[in-house]
Amino acid sequence: MSVDTEVPARTGNRVAAILVSLALAGNNAASYVLSLAAARILAPGAFGELSSLLAVLVIGVVPAMGLQTVVALRVARSPSLSQGSLFALGLVTSAIVATTALTLSPLLVLLLHLGSLAPALLVTAALGPLTLLGVFHGLLQGSHRFAVLSGLIALEGVGKVGGSLVGLVVSGSPTGALAGAAVGSLVVVVAGWQLCGRPRPRWADRHGGEVLHTAQAMLALVLLVNLDLVLARHTLPAGAAGEYALGAIVTKIAYWLPQAVGVLVLPRFAVSDRRRRVLPVALLVCGGLDALVLLTSLVLGPSLLAVIGGARYAGSTMPVWPFALAGSMLALVQILLYARLADGDRRVTVLMWTAVAVEALLITTWLHGSPTQVVTAAACTAGALAAAGALLELRPRKPA
């Protein structure tokens, strides 16, 4: 029997795309609302503290992304695979992430100049359940239960971001916001466990090496999406860096717009012949969606910055289309990364980290005279990486 007929509770492709897109968009919008509320409730110093800790959370959940990818691929390949063994893998990964975060908490206090250890400990408390949540996302994604998956993604936004908002409003402090995020994340994990049939851990199978490999590749992708913004802040004058931060919003829009495509196609990449059929379509859909962002940025030009940032940027002459191009290339990179991970190709991890190093070298040593130079370095690096990923797909590994 084929995988298609064994997977229960499938969702139609178009309906799934709409549901997952809405859930992801809702999460992103909720995060934006949290930032706006925090900027108005907290003093500038406290707002900076919360923003930096939320950035640590974004980096800290990278193992969850790797865990979700590994679980989704394994379930797609073997629908009868025991959920218990994958749940056990999630528990171990979650424990490792939480223990590491706990160990590094004092260092975090020093690096971020926190007033106490409590916020760092609350980051640890949130990272544990958020990592485990990757298992449940992967189980639903791999079995093509996209309607339930979109519900869990939406619930994650309500729990994590909603909890942060409640904690922020009640306490008026970063500590309260992080406490709300930790409690909300725990509630979402319990809900995910229920939705996936309340699996019990089985400790027979281990896939820790695969999770580590996948998490490394995903971490490199996360860095590439954010590296140019960090380096722009480091190398450009304050005013130019502020303009660049606005342009980076366009990059994020182009990158996040086709996110649902990756969620839908990853399970289909698990089978080699299906991957070769689906990958070109996925790349075309991503390119088509991002062509809208690129066209908008070309038509509106620098005036788009005033639309995003307000009247103070009305006189800006910085071109916006390179930011849209950079985000579009990164969206293609993500699809190609999923395809290579599905094939078990470890060359892609080396390729991803090489791109990180090249972009950092280009910006810090050469292309940092203006925002346009910085974003050109980011777009060219992402474009070259997409081309290299396509070449890896066209020239697969030789069998051992």
Side-chain angles (χ1 to χ4, degrees):
M1 183 179 291
S2 69
V3 173
D4 286 346
T5 56
E6 289 180 15
V7 176
R10 284 178 174 273
T11 308
N13 288 342
R14 292 179 181 177
V15 175
I18 294 172
L19 291 175
V20 173
S21 297
L22 288 175
L24 291 171
N27 269 9
N28 291 331
S31 298
Y32 181 65
V33 169
L34 174 62
S35 296
L36 290 179
R40 285 159 174 76
I41 293 174
L42 299 175
F47 176 63
E49 177 182 320
L50 178 60
S51 298
S52 62
L53 288 167
L54 291 177
V56 171
L57 265 182
V58 170
I59 297 172
V61 296
V62 168
M65 298 164 62
L67 186 63
Q68 176 181 345
T69 302
V70 169
V71 170
L73 290 172
R74 288 196 167 272
V75 171
R77 292 190 188 109
S78 304
S80 59
L81 184 67
S82 167
Q83 290 190 357
S85 63
L86 298 174
F87 183 45
L89 174 65
L91 289 172
V92 171
T93 306
S94 177
I96 292 173
V97 170
T99 301
T100 302
L102 181 63
T103 304
L104 295 177
S105 292
L107 180 60
L108 198 63
V109 173
L110 293 175
L111 289 176
L112 301 182
H113 308 290
L114 305 179
S116 69
L117 188 60
L121 293 177
L122 288 168
V123 168
T124 299
L127 279 177
L130 288 175
T131 301
L132 185 57
L133 190 61
V135 171
F136 305 128
H137 281 161
L139 289 173
L140 296 172
Q141 184 181 8
S143 58
H144 297 252
R145 298 173 62 192
F146 294 118
V148 181
L149 174 62
S150 62
L152 184 58
I153 292 172
L155 185 60
E156 180 184 357
V158 173
K160 184 180 70 174
V161 182
S164 299
L165 278 171
V166 171
L168 178 65
V169 171
V170 171
S171 70
S173 69
T175 302
L178 291 167
V183 173
S185 299
L186 184 59
V187 171
V188 176
V189 164
V190 173
W193 180 68
Q194 293 279 350
L195 290 171
C196 290
R198 294 182 289 182
R200 302 295 178 91
R202 287 183 55 192
W203 308 100
D205 300 322
R206 295 180 178 89
H207 313 292
E210 190 177 358
V211 173
L212 179 61
H213 158 60
T214 305
Q216 288 183 61
M218 299 303 293
L219 176 59
L221 179 61
V222 169
L223 288 176
L224 279 173
V225 173
N226 297 281
L227 182 61
D228 62 314
L229 180 58
V230 174
L231 293 179
R233 177 73 178 178
H234 176 69
T235 58
L236 296 175
E243 272 191 314
Y244 195 96
L246 274 183
I249 294 176
V250 178
T251 301
K252 298 296 192 303
I253 292 172
Y255 174 67
W256 284 108
L257 184 62
Q259 285 294 294
V261 178
V263 174
L264 296 176
V265 301
L266 178 62
R268 293 170 173 82
F269 285 166
V271 181
S272 179
D273 59 345
R274 184 177 299 169
R275 183 177 70 253
R276 293 183 180 279
R277 295 196 307 268
V278 172
L279 178 59
V281 177
L283 292 174
L284 282 173
V285 172
C286 277
L289 290 171
D290 277 333
L292 299 175
V293 182
L294 187 57
L295 181 61
T296 301
S297 64
L298 281 168
V299 171
L300 295 181
S303 63
L304 184 58
L305 295 177
V307 174
I308 298 173
R312 73 179 67 178
Y313 297 97
S316 175
T317 58
M318 184 180 72
V320 181
W321 68 265
F323 292 92
L325 181 61
S328 301
M329 292 298 102
L330 287 169
L332 298 179
V333 165
Q334 184 179 52
I335 298 296
L336 290 162
L337 173 61
Y338 283 157
R340 289 290 81 212
L341 291 173
D343 192 48
D345 189 351
R346 302 211 168 196
R347 295 174 298 176
V348 73
T349 302
V350 177
L351 186 62
M352 295 293 296
W353 283 104
T354 300
V356 171
V358 168
E359 182 173 317
L361 186 64
L362 282 174
I363 295 175
T364 55
T365 63
W366 181 28
L367 296 173
H368 56 254
S370 68
T372 302
Q373 287 189 1
V374 175
V375 73
T376 296
C380 289
T381 302
L385 181 58
L391 184 61
L392 283 182
E393 185 64 30
L394 291 172
R395 301 177 61 183
R397 296 172 301 157
K398 295 179 180 180

